[in-house]
Amino acid sequence: MIYLDYQATTPMAPEVEQAMLPWLGEKFANPHAPYRAGREAAAAISVARDRVSALMGQGGKLAFTGSATEAINWAIKGIVAKSERKHVVTIATEHAAVLDTVDWHGRHHDVTILPVDSSGLVDLEAVRAAVTEDTALVAAMLVNNEIGVIQPIAEIAAIAHEKGALMLCDAVQGYGRMPIPDGPDLIAASAHKIHGPKGVGCLWMREGCEPEPLIHGGGQEEGLRSGTLSPALCVGFGMAAKIASERMEEDHAHVAALWEAATAQLGEWTVNGSTDRRYRGNLNIRRQGLDSARLISELRDIAISLGSACASGSGRPSHVLRALGLSDMQAKSSIRIGFGRYTTEEEITDTLARINEAAANQ
Ligand code: PLP
């Protein structure tokens, strides 16, 4: 299989797997237990927390969660629960973890969902006009999972702060791939997008911006998020963050070279979303008249996708591509090719050649 779906998940780094193994075997103690084996597990989690936190590039506090989806739910619900303000602002191209949570909140309170332009970017003046004295939280993603477009996070955070609101950044697709801009008060990330294990994410919080707990119980994570932590998952996340930090420039240069190789072969394809303000490991392209679902089913040994892994298979056109102003037809003639650290140039050129051939034969 040629794996080109790096936005859905990334292959686990071999160093991560090695680091996790002891914690899945003989080192099984509960990290919250008082005896030596428990304290050893707690110490390993503490090292992991420092590594994951360091890659955020800011001080603050970090709690592990079961996923970025949980971190996002917690941030939105927990900040609104704590605040007298109830209004939430977000953007139409956010991940379902944000949009569905905001939608749930919107059953009882005001929400504003801002549009994007045809390149996928939000207009900062529209953000400024939307944030009011009642706004508790502005939620914006760093890198879009479907089209790779990078939103102006620092500027959005500054606007939120001018009106006394907090800012949540869903950094899932940017964390470990690029530096996270200063400004957000809360940041959600996920291990499996940076060559770590699935089933662990985190919420970074600026001091004093902790949301109300969503999960109650044993009082772990300083009472903010109860539940026994998995040392294996946390250690894996920590190792993935350490490697991402050490290799950020190298990974970035590799991805840029793959992008050049891929875009040189585009021919009749058009890139969806901005090509300037973009994480280049995401190539979302469309071709007039293409049946992209058929194309993907014809190339079963190549893992590419129609858009977000969550929406794929629903048959619904992507809400992100629709938000760019594309028609249902154009959205359904789009595919997403995602690559990164372990992708070779040959895999990219072979894939583009096969995709071009299959598309031309439709
Ligand atoms: N946000 C974005 C932008 C994502 O791409 C994803 C995963 O696809 C998530 C949130 C959810 O992350 P997790 O899989 O850790 O729940």
Side-chain angles (χ1 to χ4, degrees), residues 288-343:
Q288 195 168 355
L290 179 82
D291 179 344
S292 53
R294 194 175 129 201
L295 181 95
I296 284 174
S297 71
E298 282 167 3
L299 300 172
R300 282 195 185 280
D301 59 323
I302 303 178
I304 52 174
S305 98
L306 295 173
S308 98
C310 324
S312 279
S314 70
R316 274 181 282 127
S318 145
H319 73 282
V320 173
L321 298 180
R322 295 288 287 119
L324 301 189
L326 299 190
S327 65
D328 280 4
M329 199 65 142
Q330 287 174 312
K332 287 186 171 179
S333 59
S334 298
I335 54 170
R336 181 185 67 187
I337 304 173
F339 38 86
R341 187 183 298 165
Y342 302 112
T343 312

Coordinates of all heavy atoms in Angstrom, one line a residue, residues 288-343:
Q288 N -12.3 18.6 -13.3 CA -13.7 18.8 -13.7 C -14.3 17.4 -14.2 O -13.6 16.7 -15.0 CB -13.7 19.8 -14.9 CG -15.2 20.2 -15.1 CD -15.2 21.4 -16.0 OE1 -14.2 22.0 -16.4 NE2 -16.5 21.8 -16.4
G289 N -15.5 17.1 -13.7 CA -16.2 16.0 -14.2 C -15.8 14.7 -13.6 O -16.3 13.6 -13.9
L290 N -14.8 14.7 -12.7 CA -14.3 13.5 -12.1 C -15.2 12.9 -11.1 O -15.9 13.6 -10.3 CB -12.9 13.8 -11.4 CG -12.3 12.6 -10.7 CD1 -11.5 11.7 -11.7 CD2 -11.3 13.0 -9.6
D291 N -15.4 11.6 -11.1 CA -16.1 10.9 -10.0 C -15.0 10.4 -9.0 O -14.4 9.4 -9.2 CB -16.9 9.7 -10.6 CG -17.7 9.0 -9.5 OD1 -17.4 9.1 -8.3 OD2 -18.6 8.2 -9.9
S292 N -14.8 11.2 -7.9 CA -13.6 10.9 -7.1 C -13.8 9.6 -6.3 O -12.9 8.9 -6.0 CB -13.3 12.1 -6.2 OG -14.4 12.5 -5.5
A293 N -15.1 9.3 -5.9 CA -15.3 8.1 -5.2 C -15.0 6.9 -6.1 O -14.3 5.9 -5.6 CB -16.8 8.0 -4.8
R294 N -15.3 7.0 -7.4 CA -14.9 5.9 -8.3 C -13.4 5.8 -8.4 O -12.9 4.7 -8.4 CB -15.6 6.1 -9.6 CG -15.6 4.9 -10.5 CD -16.4 5.2 -11.8 NE -15.5 4.8 -12.9 CZ -15.7 5.3 -14.2 NH1 -16.7 6.2 -14.4 NH2 -14.9 4.9 -15.1
L295 N -12.8 6.9 -8.5 CA -11.3 6.9 -8.7 C -10.7 6.2 -7.5 O -9.8 5.4 -7.7 CB -10.8 8.4 -8.8 CG -9.3 8.5 -8.9 CD1 -9.0 8.7 -10.4 CD2 -8.8 9.7 -8.2
I296 N -11.1 6.6 -6.3 CA -10.5 6.0 -5.1 C -10.8 4.4 -5.1 O -9.9 3.7 -4.7 CB -11.1 6.7 -3.8 CG1 -10.3 8.0 -3.8 CG2 -10.8 5.9 -2.6 CD1 -10.8 8.9 -2.7
S297 N -12.0 4.0 -5.5 CA -12.3 2.6 -5.5 C -11.5 1.9 -6.6 O -11.2 0.7 -6.4 CB -13.8 2.3 -5.6 OG -14.2 2.6 -6.9
E298 N -11.1 2.6 -7.6 CA -10.2 1.9 -8.6 C -8.8 1.8 -8.2 O -8.1 0.9 -8.8 CB -10.3 2.7 -9.9 CG -11.6 2.5 -10.7 CD -11.9 3.5 -11.8 OE1 -11.0 4.4 -12.0 OE2 -12.9 3.5 -12.4
L299 N -8.4 2.6 -7.3 CA -6.9 2.6 -6.9 C -6.9 2.1 -5.4 O -6.4 2.8 -4.5 CB -6.3 4.0 -7.0 CG -6.4 4.6 -8.4 CD1 -5.9 6.1 -8.4 CD2 -5.5 3.8 -9.4
R300 N -7.3 0.9 -5.2 CA -7.4 0.4 -3.8 C -6.1 0.3 -3.1 O -6.1 0.2 -1.8 CB -8.2 -0.9 -3.8 CG -9.7 -0.7 -4.0 CD -10.5 -1.9 -3.6 NE -11.9 -1.7 -4.0 CZ -12.7 -1.0 -3.2 NH1 -12.3 -0.5 -2.1 NH2 -14.0 -0.8 -3.6
D301 N -5.0 0.1 -3.8 CA -3.7 -0.1 -3.1 C -3.1 1.3 -2.7 O -2.0 1.3 -2.2 CB -2.8 -0.9 -3.9 CG -2.5 -0.3 -5.3 OD1 -3.4 0.3 -5.8 OD2 -1.3 -0.3 -5.7
I302 N -3.8 2.4 -3.1 CA -3.3 3.7 -2.7 C -4.3 4.3 -1.7 O -5.4 4.4 -2.0 CB -3.2 4.6 -3.9 CG1 -2.3 4.0 -5.0 CG2 -2.6 6.0 -3.5 CD1 -2.1 4.8 -6.2
A303 N -3.7 4.7 -0.5 CA -4.6 5.2 0.5 C -4.7 6.7 0.4 O -3.8 7.5 0.8 CB -4.1 4.9 1.9
I304 N -5.7 7.2 -0.4 CA -6.0 8.7 -0.4 C -7.4 8.8 0.0 O -8.2 7.8 0.1 CB -5.7 9.3 -1.8 CG1 -6.5 8.5 -2.9 CG2 -4.3 9.4 -2.1 CD1 -6.4 9.1 -4.3
S305 N -7.8 10.1 0.2 CA -9.2 10.2 0.7 C -10.0 11.3 0.0 O -9.4 12.1 -0.8 CB -9.2 10.4 2.2 OG -9.3 11.7 2.5
L306 N -11.3 11.3 0.3 CA -12.2 12.3 -0.3 C -12.2 13.6 0.5 O -12.7 14.6 0.1 CB -13.6 11.8 -0.4 CG -13.8 10.6 -1.3 CD1 -15.3 10.0 -1.1 CD2 -13.6 10.9 -2.7
G307 N -11.6 13.5 1.7 CA -11.7 14.7 2.5 C -11.4 14.3 3.9 O -10.5 13.5 4.2
S308 N -12.3 14.7 4.9 CA -12.0 14.2 6.3 C -12.4 12.8 6.4 O -13.3 12.3 5.8 CB -12.8 15.1 7.2 OG -13.9 14.5 7.6
A309 N -11.6 12.0 7.2 CA -11.8 10.6 7.4 C -13.2 10.4 8.0 O -13.9 9.4 7.7 CB -10.8 10.0 8.3
C310 N -13.7 11.4 8.8 CA -15.0 11.2 9.5 C -16.1 11.4 8.5 O -17.1 10.7 8.6 CB -15.1 12.3 10.5 SG -13.6 12.7 11.4
A311 N -15.9 12.3 7.5 CA -17.0 12.5 6.5 C -17.0 11.5 5.4 O -18.0 11.3 4.7 CB -16.9 13.9 6.0
S312 N -15.8 10.9 5.1 CA -15.7 10.0 4.0 C -16.7 8.9 4.2 O -16.8 8.3 5.3 CB -14.3 9.4 3.9 OG -13.4 10.3 3.3
G313 N -17.3 8.5 3.1 CA -18.3 7.4 3.2 C -19.7 7.9 3.5 O -20.6 7.1 3.4
S314 N -19.8 9.1 4.0 CA -21.2 9.6 4.3 C -21.9 9.9 3.0 O -23.1 10.1 3.0 CB -21.1 10.8 5.2 OG -20.6 11.9 4.4
G315 N -21.1 10.1 1.9 CA -21.7 10.5 0.6 C -22.1 12.0 0.5 O -22.4 12.5 -0.5
R316 N -21.9 12.7 1.7 CA -22.2 14.1 1.7 C -21.0 14.9 1.2 O -19.9 14.6 1.5 CB -22.5 14.6 3.1 CG -23.9 14.5 3.6 CD -24.1 15.0 5.0 NE -23.6 14.0 6.0 CZ -22.7 14.3 6.9 NH1 -22.2 15.5 7.0 NH2 -22.4 13.4 7.8
P317 N -21.3 16.0 0.3 CA -20.1 16.7 -0.1 C -19.5 17.4 1.1 O -20.2 17.8 2.0 CB -20.7 17.7 -1.1 CG -22.2 17.7 -0.9 CD -22.5 16.5 -0.2
S318 N -18.2 17.6 1.0 CA -17.4 18.2 2.1 C -17.9 19.6 2.5 O -18.0 20.5 1.7 CB -16.0 18.2 1.7 OG -15.3 19.4 2.3
H319 N -18.2 19.8 3.8 CA -18.6 21.2 4.3 C -17.5 22.2 4.1 O -17.8 23.4 3.9 CB -19.1 21.1 5.7 CG -17.9 21.0 6.7 ND1 -17.3 19.8 7.0 CD2 -17.3 21.9 7.5 CE1 -16.3 20.0 7.9 NE2 -16.3 21.3 8.2
V320 N -16.2 21.7 4.0 CA -15.1 22.7 3.8 C -15.1 23.1 2.4 O -15.0 24.3 2.1 CB -13.8 22.0 4.2 CG1 -12.6 22.9 3.9 CG2 -13.8 21.6 5.7
L321 N -15.2 22.2 1.5 CA -15.2 22.6 0.0 C -16.4 23.4 -0.3 O -16.3 24.4 -1.1 CB -15.0 21.4 -0.8 CG -13.8 20.5 -0.6 CD1 -13.7 19.3 -1.5 CD2 -12.5 21.4 -0.8
R322 N -17.5 23.1 0.3 CA -18.7 23.9 0.0 C -18.5 25.3 0.6 O -19.0 26.3 0.0 CB -20.0 23.2 0.7 CG -20.3 21.9 0.1 CD -21.0 22.0 -1.3 NE -22.3 22.5 -1.3 CZ -22.7 23.6 -1.9 NH1 -21.9 24.3 -2.6 NH2 -23.9 24.0 -1.8
A323 N -17.9 25.4 1.7 CA -17.6 26.8 2.3 C -16.7 27.6 1.4 O -16.8 28.9 1.5 CB -17.0 26.6 3.7
L324 N -15.9 27.0 0.6 CA -15.0 27.8 -0.3 C -15.8 28.3 -1.5 O -15.3 29.0 -2.3 CB -13.9 26.9 -0.9 CG -12.9 26.2 0.0 CD1 -11.8 25.6 -0.8 CD2 -12.3 27.2 1.0
G325 N -17.1 27.8 -1.6 CA -17.9 28.3 -2.7 C -18.0 27.2 -3.8 O -18.5 27.5 -4.9
L326 N -17.4 26.1 -3.6 CA -17.4 25.0 -4.7 C -18.8 24.4 -4.7 O -19.5 24.3 -3.7 CB -16.4 23.9 -4.4 CG -14.9 24.3 -4.4 CD1 -14.0 23.1 -4.4 CD2 -14.6 25.2 -5.6
S327 N -19.2 24.0 -5.9 CA -20.5 23.3 -6.0 C -20.4 21.9 -5.5 O -19.3 21.4 -5.3 CB -20.9 23.3 -7.5 OG -20.0 22.4 -8.2
D328 N -21.6 21.3 -5.3 CA -21.6 19.8 -4.9 C -20.8 19.0 -5.8 O -20.0 18.1 -5.4 CB -23.0 19.3 -4.8 CG -23.7 19.7 -3.6 OD1 -23.1 20.5 -2.8 OD2 -24.9 19.3 -3.4
M329 N -21.0 19.3 -7.1 CA -20.3 18.6 -8.2 C -18.8 18.7 -8.0 O -18.0 17.7 -8.1 CB -20.8 19.1 -9.5 CG -20.5 18.2 -10.7 SD -21.5 16.7 -10.4 CE -22.0 16.5 -12.1
Q330 N -18.3 20.0 -7.9 CA -16.9 20.2 -7.7 C -16.3 19.6 -6.5 O -15.2 19.0 -6.5 CB -16.6 21.7 -7.7 CG -16.8 22.4 -9.0 CD -16.7 23.9 -8.9 OE1 -17.2 24.5 -8.0 NE2 -15.9 24.5 -9.8
A331 N -17.1 19.6 -5.4 CA -16.6 19.0 -4.2 C -16.5 17.5 -4.3 O -15.6 16.9 -3.9 CB -17.6 19.3 -3.0
K332 N -17.4 16.9 -5.1 CA -17.4 15.5 -5.3 C -16.4 15.1 -6.4 O -16.2 13.9 -6.6 CB -18.8 15.0 -5.7 CG -19.7 14.9 -4.5 CD -21.1 14.3 -4.8 CE -21.8 14.1 -3.5 NZ -23.1 13.6 -3.7
S333 N -15.7 16.0 -7.0 CA -14.7 15.7 -8.0 C -13.3 16.0 -7.4 O -12.3 16.2 -8.1 CB -14.9 16.3 -9.3 OG -14.9 17.7 -9.2
S334 N -13.2 16.1 -6.0 CA -12.0 16.4 -5.3 C -11.5 15.2 -4.6 O -12.2 14.4 -4.1 CB -12.3 17.5 -4.3 OG -12.7 18.7 -5.0
I335 N -10.1 15.2 -4.5 CA -9.5 14.2 -3.6 C -8.4 14.8 -2.8 O -7.9 15.9 -3.1 CB -8.8 13.1 -4.5 CG1 -7.8 13.7 -5.5 CG2 -9.8 12.2 -5.1 CD1 -6.9 12.6 -6.2
R336 N -8.1 14.2 -1.6 CA -7.0 14.7 -0.8 C -5.9 13.8 -0.7 O -6.1 12.6 -0.4 CB -7.6 15.0 0.6 CG -6.5 15.6 1.6 CD -7.1 15.7 3.0 NE -7.3 14.3 3.6 CZ -7.8 14.1 4.8 NH1 -8.3 15.1 5.5 NH2 -8.0 12.9 5.2
I337 N -4.7 14.3 -1.0 CA -3.5 13.5 -1.0 C -2.6 14.1 0.2 O -2.3 15.2 0.2 CB -2.7 13.6 -2.3 CG1 -3.6 13.1 -3.4 CG2 -1.4 12.7 -2.2 CD1 -2.9 13.3 -4.8
G338 N -2.4 13.2 1.2 CA -1.6 13.7 2.4 C -0.4 13.0 2.6 O -0.3 11.8 2.6
F339 N 0.8 13.7 2.7 CA 2.0 13.0 2.8 C 2.9 13.7 3.9 O 2.6 14.7 4.4 CB 2.8 13.1 1.5 CG 2.6 14.3 0.7 CD1 3.4 15.4 0.9 CD2 1.6 14.5 -0.2 CE1 3.3 16.6 0.2 CE2 1.4 15.7 -0.9 CZ 2.2 16.7 -0.7
G340 N 4.0 13.0 4.2 CA 4.9 13.5 5.3 C 6.1 12.7 5.5 O 6.7 12.2 4.5
R341 N 6.6 12.6 6.7 CA 7.9 12.1 7.0 C 8.3 10.9 6.3 O 9.5 10.8 5.8 CB 8.0 11.9 8.5 CG 9.4 11.5 9.0 CD 9.4 11.2 10.5 NE 9.0 12.4 11.3 CZ 8.6 12.3 12.6 NH1 8.6 11.2 13.2 NH2 8.3 13.4 13.2
Y342 N 7.5 9.9 6.2 CA 7.9 8.6 5.7 C 7.5 8.4 4.2 O 7.6 7.3 3.7 CB 7.3 7.4 6.5 CG 7.8 7.6 8.0 CD1 6.9 7.8 9.0 CD2 9.1 7.4 8.3 CE1 7.3 7.9 10.3 CE2 9.5 7.5 9.6 CZ 8.6 7.8 10.6 OH 9.0 7.9 11.9
T343 N 7.0 9.5 3.6 CA 6.6 9.4 2.2 C 7.8 9.6 1.3 O 8.6 10.5 1.6 CB 5.6 10.4 1.8 OG1 4.5 10.5 2.8 CG2 4.9 10.2 0.4

